[in-house]
Amino acid sequence: MRKLVMMLVFSLLFISSSVVFANLNDNRATIQAQYGDYRLIIDSDNQLWTKADWEANGYKKAKAASYMYSFTRQGLRIQMEVLYDNEKSESLVRTQRFTPDMAIKLKEFKLYFPEVYMMITAPKAQVFATNNPLSRHFQDIESPIRMGVLIKELANGKNGSYYPLLAFNIQDEGRLIKDTSLINEDTYIREFTIERTYRTTVHDAMDSSKPEWKIIKSHF
Protein backbone atom coordinates (compact mmCIF):
# COMPACT_ATOMS: atom_id res chain seq x y z
CA MET A 1 0.00 0.00 0.00
CA ARG A 2 2.79 2.41 0.98
CA LYS A 3 4.56 1.65 -2.30
CA LEU A 4 1.38 2.42 -4.27
CA VAL A 5 0.95 5.74 -2.45
CA MET A 6 4.57 6.71 -3.19
CA MET A 7 4.09 5.84 -6.87
CA LEU A 8 0.98 8.03 -7.02
CA VAL A 9 2.79 10.92 -5.34
CA PHE A 10 5.71 10.60 -7.76
CA SER A 11 3.34 10.55 -10.72
CA LEU A 12 1.56 13.68 -9.49
CA LEU A 13 4.87 15.45 -8.99
CA PHE A 14 6.02 14.51 -12.46
CA ILE A 15 2.79 15.70 -14.05
CA SER A 16 2.84 18.92 -12.05
CA SER A 17 6.42 19.73 -12.94
CA SER A 18 5.83 19.19 -16.63
CA VAL A 19 2.80 21.47 -16.46
CA VAL A 20 4.12 24.21 -14.21
CA PHE A 21 7.35 24.55 -16.13
CA ALA A 22 5.66 23.91 -19.47
CA ASN A 23 7.52 24.52 -22.61
CA LEU A 24 10.80 26.44 -22.28
CA ASN A 25 12.19 24.04 -19.69
CA ASP A 26 10.86 21.08 -21.67
CA ASN A 27 12.80 19.07 -24.24
CA ARG A 28 11.79 16.86 -27.17
CA ALA A 29 11.01 13.93 -24.87
CA THR A 30 8.72 15.85 -22.51
CA ILE A 31 6.99 17.62 -25.41
CA GLN A 32 6.23 14.25 -26.97
CA ALA A 33 4.88 12.95 -23.66
CA GLN A 34 2.53 15.93 -23.31
CA TYR A 35 1.45 16.63 -26.91
CA GLY A 36 2.18 13.43 -28.82
CA ASP A 37 4.80 12.80 -31.49
CA TYR A 38 5.61 15.33 -34.21
CA ARG A 39 3.91 14.95 -37.60
CA LEU A 40 6.07 17.09 -39.88
CA ILE A 41 9.53 18.63 -40.05
CA ILE A 42 10.47 21.95 -41.62
CA ASP A 43 14.15 21.91 -42.48
CA SER A 44 16.58 24.82 -42.56
CA ASP A 45 15.87 25.27 -46.29
CA ASN A 46 12.14 25.62 -45.51
CA GLN A 47 11.35 22.23 -47.04
CA LEU A 48 8.56 20.11 -45.51
CA TRP A 49 9.10 16.46 -44.56
CA THR A 50 6.73 13.86 -43.18
CA LYS A 51 7.92 12.10 -40.04
CA ALA A 52 8.41 8.85 -41.97
CA ASP A 53 10.46 10.47 -44.75
CA TRP A 54 12.53 12.46 -42.29
CA GLU A 55 13.42 9.47 -40.15
CA ALA A 56 14.10 7.31 -43.21
CA ASN A 57 16.63 9.60 -44.90
CA GLY A 58 15.71 13.26 -44.50
CA TYR A 59 17.90 13.80 -41.46
CA LYS A 60 20.88 12.61 -43.56
CA LYS A 61 20.30 15.35 -46.14
CA ALA A 62 19.08 18.34 -44.16
CA LYS A 63 19.04 20.04 -40.80
CA ALA A 64 15.76 20.32 -38.89
CA ALA A 65 14.55 23.86 -38.20
CA SER A 66 11.22 23.16 -36.49
CA TYR A 67 8.93 20.30 -35.55
CA MET A 68 5.18 20.36 -36.24
CA TYR A 69 2.68 18.74 -33.88
CA SER A 70 -1.09 18.40 -34.03
CA PHE A 71 -3.43 17.65 -31.13
CA THR A 72 -7.06 18.16 -30.14
CA ARG A 73 -8.43 19.91 -27.06
CA GLN A 74 -12.16 20.03 -26.30
CA GLY A 75 -12.88 19.13 -29.93
CA LEU A 76 -10.67 21.94 -31.27
CA ARG A 77 -7.67 20.97 -33.39
CA ILE A 78 -4.47 22.83 -32.57
CA GLN A 79 -1.26 23.04 -34.56
CA MET A 80 1.97 23.56 -32.63
CA GLU A 81 5.35 24.39 -34.09
CA VAL A 82 8.41 23.94 -31.87
CA LEU A 83 11.96 25.17 -32.36
CA TYR A 84 14.60 23.44 -30.26
CA ASP A 85 18.16 24.43 -29.40
CA ASN A 86 19.37 21.51 -31.51
CA GLU A 87 18.23 18.14 -32.81
CA LYS A 88 19.20 16.02 -29.79
CA SER A 89 16.44 14.40 -27.74
CA GLU A 90 17.45 16.35 -24.63
CA SER A 91 17.48 19.64 -26.54
CA LEU A 92 15.47 22.39 -24.79
CA VAL A 93 12.55 24.21 -26.35
CA ARG A 94 13.50 27.62 -27.73
CA THR A 95 10.15 28.74 -29.17
CA GLN A 96 6.63 27.34 -29.45
CA ARG A 97 3.76 28.65 -31.57
CA PHE A 98 0.20 27.44 -30.96
CA THR A 99 -2.42 27.96 -33.67
CA PRO A 100 -5.96 26.68 -33.04
CA ASP A 101 -8.20 26.03 -36.05
CA MET A 102 -10.58 28.68 -34.68
CA ALA A 103 -9.75 31.74 -32.59
CA ILE A 104 -10.58 31.39 -28.89
CA LYS A 105 -11.51 34.02 -26.31
CA LEU A 106 -9.26 35.00 -23.43
CA LYS A 107 -11.84 33.69 -20.95
CA GLU A 108 -11.73 30.30 -22.73
CA PHE A 109 -7.96 29.96 -22.59
CA LYS A 110 -7.93 27.79 -19.45
CA LEU A 111 -10.27 25.31 -21.10
CA TYR A 112 -7.97 24.66 -24.06
CA PHE A 113 -4.53 25.28 -22.59
CA PRO A 114 -4.58 24.42 -18.85
CA GLU A 115 -0.84 23.73 -18.81
CA VAL A 116 -0.08 27.19 -20.20
CA TYR A 117 -2.80 28.82 -18.08
CA MET A 118 -0.83 27.79 -15.00
CA MET A 119 2.13 29.78 -16.33
CA ILE A 120 0.19 32.98 -17.06
CA THR A 121 -1.58 32.98 -13.70
CA ALA A 122 1.56 32.25 -11.65
CA PRO A 123 2.52 34.82 -8.97
CA LYS A 124 5.39 36.17 -11.08
CA ALA A 125 3.36 36.47 -14.30
CA GLN A 126 2.74 40.01 -15.55
CA VAL A 127 0.19 40.76 -18.30
CA PHE A 128 1.05 43.77 -20.42
CA ALA A 129 0.21 45.60 -23.64
CA THR A 130 2.48 47.37 -26.10
CA ASN A 131 2.53 49.04 -29.50
CA ASN A 132 5.76 47.26 -30.37
CA PRO A 133 6.12 43.80 -31.95
CA LEU A 134 6.65 40.95 -29.48
CA SER A 135 7.23 38.02 -31.81
CA ARG A 136 8.51 37.41 -35.32
CA HIS A 137 6.86 33.98 -35.42
CA PHE A 138 3.24 34.96 -36.01
CA GLN A 139 1.62 33.87 -39.27
CA ASP A 140 -1.37 36.24 -39.31
CA ILE A 141 -1.54 40.03 -39.40
CA GLU A 142 -1.15 41.57 -35.95
CA SER A 143 -3.23 44.25 -34.29
CA PRO A 144 -1.50 47.59 -33.58
CA ILE A 145 -1.87 46.73 -29.87
CA ARG A 146 -0.01 43.61 -28.82
CA MET A 147 -0.56 41.69 -25.61
CA GLY A 148 2.00 39.62 -23.75
CA VAL A 149 2.64 37.84 -20.48
CA LEU A 150 6.08 37.96 -18.92
CA ILE A 151 7.01 35.26 -16.42
CA LYS A 152 9.47 37.24 -14.32
CA GLU A 153 11.35 34.24 -13.07
CA LEU A 154 14.69 33.38 -14.62
CA ALA A 155 15.14 30.11 -16.50
CA ASN A 156 18.42 28.83 -17.87
CA GLY A 157 19.33 28.02 -21.45
CA LYS A 158 22.61 27.26 -23.17
CA ASN A 159 23.07 30.97 -23.93
CA GLY A 160 22.44 32.18 -20.39
CA SER A 161 19.48 33.23 -18.28
CA TYR A 162 16.21 34.48 -19.70
CA TYR A 163 12.56 35.11 -18.85
CA PRO A 164 9.75 33.14 -20.54
CA LEU A 165 7.59 35.48 -22.65
CA LEU A 166 4.17 34.67 -24.08
CA ALA A 167 3.05 36.80 -27.03
CA PHE A 168 -0.60 36.80 -28.19
CA ASN A 169 -1.94 37.70 -31.61
CA ILE A 170 -5.22 39.25 -30.47
CA GLN A 171 -8.29 40.40 -32.42
CA ASP A 172 -11.79 41.70 -31.77
CA GLU A 173 -14.10 39.34 -33.69
CA GLY A 174 -11.79 39.52 -36.68
CA ARG A 175 -11.10 43.25 -36.33
CA LEU A 176 -7.71 44.61 -35.34
CA ILE A 177 -7.39 46.06 -31.85
CA LYS A 178 -6.17 49.64 -31.87
CA ASP A 179 -6.55 50.62 -28.23
CA THR A 180 -5.60 48.85 -24.99
CA SER A 181 -9.00 49.67 -23.47
CA LEU A 182 -10.60 47.30 -26.00
CA ILE A 183 -8.88 44.26 -24.51
CA ASN A 184 -11.31 42.27 -22.35
CA GLU A 185 -12.33 38.68 -21.59
CA ASP A 186 -14.07 38.41 -24.98
CA THR A 187 -10.94 39.37 -26.92
CA TYR A 188 -9.93 36.64 -29.35
CA ILE A 189 -6.57 34.88 -29.57
CA ARG A 190 -5.71 33.81 -33.09
CA GLU A 191 -2.31 32.36 -32.19
CA PHE A 192 0.28 32.68 -29.46
CA THR A 193 3.92 31.92 -28.85
CA ILE A 194 6.13 31.08 -25.91
CA GLU A 195 9.64 32.41 -26.36
CA ARG A 196 12.74 33.62 -24.53
CA THR A 197 13.45 37.20 -23.65
CA TYR A 198 16.54 38.40 -21.89
CA ARG A 199 16.89 40.55 -18.79
CA THR A 200 18.25 43.53 -20.71
CA THR A 201 15.21 43.47 -23.01
CA VAL A 202 12.84 43.37 -20.05
CA HIS A 203 14.68 46.16 -18.27
CA ASP A 204 14.54 48.43 -21.32
CA ALA A 205 10.90 47.63 -22.13
CA MET A 206 9.31 47.37 -18.69
CA ASP A 207 11.53 48.77 -15.96
CA SER A 208 12.59 52.06 -17.54
CA SER A 209 11.08 55.46 -16.70
CA LYS A 210 8.98 55.30 -19.88
CA PRO A 211 8.05 51.62 -20.24
CA GLU A 212 7.06 50.28 -23.65
CA TRP A 213 5.42 47.26 -22.01
CA LYS A 214 2.61 48.59 -19.80
CA ILE A 215 1.04 46.32 -17.18
CA ILE A 216 -2.70 45.74 -17.74
CA LYS A 217 -5.43 43.75 -16.03
CA SER A 218 -5.45 40.03 -16.75
CA HIS A 219 -8.64 38.88 -18.50
CA PHE A 220 -7.73 35.18 -18.62
Side-chain angles (χ1 to χ4, degrees), residues 106 125-134 142-150 165-170 177-184 187 202 204-207 210-220:
L106 291 184
Q126 298 178 318
V127 183
F128 66 90
T130 180
N131 294 100
N132 298 322
L134 290 175
E142 294 182 73
S143 292
I145 296 294
R146 283 89 174 191
M147 190 187 77
V149 178
L150 177 72
L165 173 69
L166 291 88
F168 297 87
N169 191 344
I170 53 174
I177 294 177
K178 301 179 181 179
D179 192 280
T180 304
S181 64
L182 298 175
I183 299 175
N184 56 51
T187 295
V202 172
D204 293 342
M206 184 173 280
D207 299 330
K210 295 182 179 180
E212 297 171 355
W213 297 358
K214 297 181 180 180
I215 303 297
I216 62 171
K217 178 182 176 181
S218 174
H219 294 283
F220 288 100

Side-chain angles (χ1 to χ4, degrees), residues 4-219:
L4 177 60
V5 170
M6 291 300 292
M7 288 177 65
L8 288 172
V9 170
F10 177 81
S11 298
L12 286 171
L13 287 172
F14 176 80
I15 292 169
S16 296
S17 64
S18 106
V19 168
V20 171
F21 294 108
N23 316 303
L24 292 185
N25 282 329
D26 278 339
N27 56 33
R28 283 182 55 189
T30 57
I31 288 290
Q32 179 179 345
Q34 184 154 311
Y35 298 103
D37 210 349
Y38 71 91
R39 304 291 184 86
L40 299 168
I41 285 277
I42 300 175
D43 70 21
S44 55
D45 294 320
N46 208 33
Q47 298 295 311
L48 197 65
W49 300 77
T50 65
K51 181 177 185 294
D53 287 343
W54 179 258
E55 294 183 351
N57 55 32
Y59 72 95
K60 300 175 184 177
K61 303 177 182 180
K63 182 178 179 180
S66 59
Y67 291 72
M68 303 292 294
Y69 300 77
S70 180
F71 57 94
T72 301
R73 294 277 176 82
Q74 304 295 327
L76 180 65
R77 192 167 68 99
I78 299 160
Q79 300 290 334
M80 180 178 72
E81 182 176 356
V82 183
L83 284 72
Y84 296 99
D85 279 333
N86 55 56
E87 296 182 52
K88 296 179 180 179
S89 60
E90 68 272 18
S91 175
L92 292 175
V93 171
R94 179 155 44 96
T95 303
Q96 285 176 276
R97 183 181 68 228
F98 296 82
T99 309
D101 277 359
M102 294 177 60
I104 63 171
K105 294 181 178 181
L106 291 184
K107 65 184 180 183
E108 300 171 333
F109 191 83
K110 181 180 181 180
L111 179 66
Y112 295 103
F113 300 100
E115 75 283 16
V116 184
Y117 180 80
M118 292 184 70
M119 292 179 67
I120 62 178
T121 55
K124 294 189 178 181
Q126 298 178 318
V127 183
F128 66 90
T130 180
N131 294 100
N132 298 322
L134 290 175
S135 175
R136 59 184 179 83
H137 296 288
F138 288 145
Q139 293 180 312
D140 289 349
I141 296 173
E142 294 182 73
S143 292
I145 296 294
R146 283 89 174 191
M147 190 187 77
V149 178
L150 177 72
I151 315 300
K152 212 165 186 180
E153 184 170 3
L154 288 174
N156 293 315
K158 70 172 188 176
N159 294 321
S161 297
Y162 57 84
Y163 293 119
L165 173 69
L166 291 88
F168 297 87
N169 191 344
I170 53 174
Q171 300 174 355
D172 179 15
E173 296 184 346
R175 295 184 296 272
L176 300 182
I177 294 177
K178 301 179 181 179
D179 192 280
T180 304
S181 64
L182 298 175
I183 299 175
N184 56 51
E185 65 177 10
D186 291 316
T187 295
Y188 283 90
I189 300 169
R190 184 65 197 92
E191 56 188 336
F192 70 95
T193 64
I194 305 175
E195 308 181 33
R196 298 172 179 174
T197 188
Y198 293 92
R199 283 182 287 184
T200 52
T201 301
V202 172
H203 175 74
D204 293 342
M206 184 173 280
D207 299 330
S208 63
S209 57
K210 295 182 179 180
E212 297 171 355
W213 297 358
K214 297 181 180 180
I215 303 297
I216 62 171
K217 178 182 176 181
S218 174
H219 294 283

